[in-house]
Amino acid sequence: MQDIYGHIEWSNPAYTRITGYAADEIRGRRPQEFILAPENELSPETIASFKYDLSKVQSGVHELIRNRRKNGELFWNQLTFAVVEGETDEDTKIILICRDVTSQVEHVKELEEARTRLKYQAEHDDLTGVANRAKMSAYLQERGSTGAGGAGQIGIIHVDLDHFKDINDHHGHSAGDAVLCQAARTLKSVLEPEGFVARIGGDEFIAVVHEPTGPEQMEHLGAEILRGLSRPITVDRQKLRVAGSVGLVLADPANASVSELIHRADIALYAAKKSGRNCFAWYTDAIGAAHRQRRMVLARLDQDLETGDLSLLMEPQYCLKRQQIVGYEVYARWLHPTDGLVDPVRLLSRQEDTGRLAQIELFALRRGLAEVKRLREASNVPFFLSVNLTDVGLKQPGVMDAIRQMSEDVAIPTSDIIVELDEKIIRFDEPEGLVGVIEDLSATGCRVAVDEFGGGHGGAGQLIRLDADMLKICPELVAGMEEQDNMRQLVQSVIRLAGNLGLEACATGVNRSEQLDILKEFGCQRIQGEVVSPPMSPREAELHMRAFDLKLDADQDKRVQ
């Protein structure tokens, strides 16, 4: 109990237990003289002039304050005031009920810290420390709300690391994590404090620029990000270099939803990748329309892939020695909504459309086997099937088992299936090359042909390490034979090389009789092209098979033999 000037007139044993001060030690003193925590200590003058303001102190009022016990220990003291009015202010007494609530306060503090920590974790990326997709969406939503009040435009920068998967695959995930952290630091150094940076998944980041001055500033920021990303990073004493692609968007957040803004940034990023990567590209209405058109086309393609509603073309391969058609290369074709019959593979990206590519290749193999079986039965000739498969399709889980099963289903041995591999995807010096895949393919019994040989992507040295059966000379070399002597010599050298390595040489794109004459003179064994037939529908292939006869003169026939 205190008087109006704060002097203690009485205290009970409970107060002594809480503070450590006996009643006799504190009677006549003000609590401010001995119990305040160091950060709350008052000057002697302030304490001496203290007087309760009865207009403010009311019974039942609570106050939480940090106090100090006699032994120096700090504790949280909850004070509850009760005013006992006297005849005059001087007779009025103030009763304080003191409670040690340290444990409760610390528990609440722990809860607050935990809540703050969990909120941070829920809004930030664990690895890089920048905001995550949820936080970024909330931030954009907030900017859109404030934008409705007349705020300016907002800038979106979508960043994707080029070929990041190669870093993980070749150097390990720890190196990949280091690259991601470096990328996050680069974005923060370029954008903050004016900008907002978030990692939205994988190797993708989005930066938000609040009220940029214009396109020039956005392009400057994009260029600075690309420059920063290109700086090498040392991981385990190895210098790693990474590049990025950047999509730029400038928009009024009040006129576009969060999802629309992100979608535009994604489209701009896709445009940058198509432009060659390591560059930035703007979102435009024209690009957006083209993207929507592409999305509709791919949706239609997905539907037709689901129902198997694709077409098959068959191109005969002619053996000059046996003077007959010996097999067919098959191609999948798709009826495009506006462009007619097209090669669907050319519409797709090897990085982004792996599932679709694999489906198309398996369609060509499955349907091609069925049509070759029909031609076999109609002619009693054991035609082989030749089909182009990519590294994307060959690396799909279960593809080797699928090839075996398709072979069994049509009773065509796998040895009559030739898998053509473009020379540019065969890399024995790369960890992610096709070495293991080719071994698995050979184990199925399928034969292997190196396609497009001489196109400038591969090397003859690869043939020594590749267990192949056929070498297919690219059409560009064949087309140049008539006019260019060096091309003619090169084709002749390739045919000789194939013979020395025990491979059959097949020239593709043989469209004129003059080309055929040169190839026969060089001893080429097989040909494909318009001199035999362009690609045909299965029905046309059957009619062609029954009627076709490629005449050879006697001298040419002897040279081929």
Tab-separated table of all heavy atoms in Angstrom, residues 117 125 200 358 362 409 445 447 459 524:
chain	number	residue	atom	x	y	z
A	117	ARG	N	8.853	-16.926	-36.627
A	117	ARG	CA	9.745	-17.837	-37.340
A	117	ARG	C	8.968	-18.668	-38.366
A	117	ARG	O	9.389	-18.834	-39.514
A	117	ARG	CB	10.458	-18.751	-36.344
A	117	ARG	CG	11.521	-19.636	-36.963
A	117	ARG	CD	12.369	-20.326	-35.912
A	117	ARG	NE	11.593	-21.134	-34.995
A	117	ARG	CZ	11.331	-20.809	-33.732
A	117	ARG	NH1	11.783	-19.651	-33.226
A	117	ARG	NH2	10.613	-21.595	-32.958
A	125	ASP	N	12.115	-18.881	-49.056
A	125	ASP	CA	12.761	-20.094	-49.569
A	125	ASP	C	13.860	-20.527	-48.613
A	125	ASP	O	14.726	-19.728	-48.240
A	125	ASP	CB	13.339	-19.798	-50.960
A	125	ASP	CG	14.118	-20.965	-51.513
A	125	ASP	OD1	13.564	-22.074	-51.562
A	125	ASP	OD2	15.287	-20.770	-51.897
A	200	ILE	N	10.554	-18.927	-57.197
A	200	ILE	CA	9.217	-19.511	-57.339
A	200	ILE	C	9.282	-21.004	-57.622
A	200	ILE	O	8.252	-21.629	-57.846
A	200	ILE	CB	8.409	-18.782	-58.421
A	200	ILE	CG1	9.090	-18.901	-59.791
A	200	ILE	CG2	8.217	-17.331	-58.045
A	200	ILE	CD1	8.235	-18.398	-60.920
A	358	ALA	N	8.120	-38.390	-76.639
A	358	ALA	CA	8.183	-39.840	-76.443
A	358	ALA	C	6.919	-40.519	-76.975
A	358	ALA	O	6.988	-41.583	-77.605
A	358	ALA	CB	8.369	-40.154	-74.960
A	362	LEU	N	6.840	-43.351	-79.988
A	362	LEU	CA	6.266	-44.679	-79.765
A	362	LEU	C	5.100	-44.947	-80.716
A	362	LEU	O	4.888	-46.080	-81.143
A	362	LEU	CB	5.814	-44.817	-78.308
A	362	LEU	CG	6.950	-44.943	-77.273
A	362	LEU	CD1	6.384	-45.015	-75.868
A	362	LEU	CD2	7.815	-46.159	-77.562
A	409	ASP	N	4.289	-58.445	-80.361
A	409	ASP	CA	2.878	-58.313	-80.721
A	409	ASP	C	2.636	-58.512	-82.220
A	409	ASP	O	1.583	-59.010	-82.626
A	409	ASP	CB	2.348	-56.940	-80.299
A	409	ASP	CG	2.254	-56.802	-78.778
A	409	ASP	OD1	2.299	-57.841	-78.090
A	409	ASP	OD2	2.156	-55.651	-78.290
A	445	GLY	N	18.298	-56.399	-79.371
A	445	GLY	CA	18.430	-57.037	-80.678
A	445	GLY	C	18.206	-56.094	-81.833
A	445	GLY	O	18.394	-56.458	-83.001
A	447	ARG	N	18.818	-53.127	-84.531
A	447	ARG	CA	19.984	-52.592	-85.212
A	447	ARG	C	20.007	-51.069	-85.071
A	447	ARG	O	18.964	-50.441	-84.846
A	447	ARG	CB	19.979	-53.006	-86.680
A	447	ARG	CG	20.256	-54.493	-86.868
A	447	ARG	CD	20.348	-54.851	-88.348
A	447	ARG	NE	19.033	-54.880	-88.977
A	447	ARG	CZ	18.842	-54.928	-90.297
A	447	ARG	NH1	19.898	-54.907	-91.115
A	447	ARG	NH2	17.629	-54.996	-90.800
A	459	GLY	N	31.486	-36.825	-85.429
A	459	GLY	CA	32.794	-37.095	-85.997
A	459	GLY	C	32.938	-38.554	-86.325
A	459	GLY	O	32.277	-39.423	-85.744
A	524	CYS	N	27.625	-47.307	-103.307
A	524	CYS	CA	26.661	-47.139	-102.210
A	524	CYS	C	25.663	-48.297	-102.248
A	524	CYS	O	25.226	-48.729	-103.321
A	524	CYS	CB	25.939	-45.807	-102.363
A	524	CYS	SG	24.832	-45.417	-100.988
